[in-house]
Amino acid sequence: MFVSPRKAGQGAFLPEEFVVPTLVAGPRFQIRPITVSDVVKDYGAVIGSLDRLAGRFGPEWGWPDQEFTFEQALIDVAWLQKEGQLRRSFSYVVITPDGERQLGRIHVAPCDGPDADAVVVFWVRADEEDSALEKELEEFVREWVTTAWPFDTVRFPGREGK
């Protein structure tokens, strides 16, 4: 079984030799690590999906705030980028194949409890809710994190019963 170095008290989430995926391309979307250059599209995707995201993540996450500002978005995206550089957690944008529109996000993070190696959270913008794209993305993400990442057990909060 894979044991996260963080669980072993070493601080890093993944072994140093693991090559973190940087681009995954498919016919309907691409996935790549989030960077500060994504902030405009990311902010639009979040703002256009505030009610859906607040309902999905709930008050325990505290995100997104109903008064989510562009400045907060910039801080969030920069933080997510830095976390990836430090190999503590990994956040990806899901974009159209031409890169013009952000469709959602994927987050891969260590699990705090002993029941899993990682937690994966993903969402699509409100206008893609319950679409064929969302179903395709869910199938892809579940397969991707179990085949391309070194995890034995992954939790999908908010999607466990699906």
Side-chain angles (χ1 to χ4, degrees), residues 104-160:
R105 270 203 228 153
I106 302 168
H107 302 278
V108 180
C111 183
D112 290 335
D115 60 331
D117 301 318
V119 173
V120 176
V121 176
F122 62 95
W123 55 268
V124 295
R125 53 189 308 135
D127 58 359
E128 294 289 348
E129 182 176 8
D130 296 324
S131 68
L133 173 77
E134 183 175 29
K135 291 175 181 65
E136 183 179 329
L137 181 64
E138 180 162 1
E139 289 173 12
F140 170 81
V141 169
R142 287 179 182 276
E143 176 75 15
W144 181 57
V145 297
T146 57
T147 59
W149 293 78
F151 307 131
D152 288 328
T153 309
V154 178
R155 285 189 45 240
F156 295 89
R159 295 180 181 268
E160 305 287 7

Side-chain angles (χ1 to χ4, degrees), residues 41-47 49 52-53 56-57 63 92 94 102-107 121-126 134 137 159:
K41 290 176 186 162
D42 188 71
Y43 182 68
V46 171
I47 287 297
S49 306
R52 179 171 197 242
L53 293 173
R56 180 93 188 275
F57 293 106
W63 184 88
Y92 294 82
V94 180
Q102 183 171 325
L103 302 168
R105 270 203 228 153
I106 302 168
H107 302 278
V121 176
F122 62 95
W123 55 268
V124 295
R125 53 189 308 135
E134 183 175 29
L137 181 64
R159 295 180 181 268

Side-chain angles (χ1 to χ4, degrees), residues 67-116:
E67 291 159 27
F68 191 63
T69 66
F70 186 80
E71 181 180 44
Q72 289 170 318
L74 180 58
I75 293 166
D76 281 357
V77 170
W79 179 264
L80 294 172
Q81 180 179 351
K82 188 64 176 176
E83 285 284 296
Q85 291 169 345
L86 295 172
R87 297 175 63 90
R88 294 193 297 216
S89 66
F90 302 91
S91 296
Y92 294 82
V93 289
V94 180
I95 55 176
T96 55
D98 62 8
E100 291 298 312
R101 184 169 186 249
Q102 183 171 325
L103 302 168
R105 270 203 228 153
I106 302 168
H107 302 278
V108 180
C111 183
D112 290 335
D115 60 331

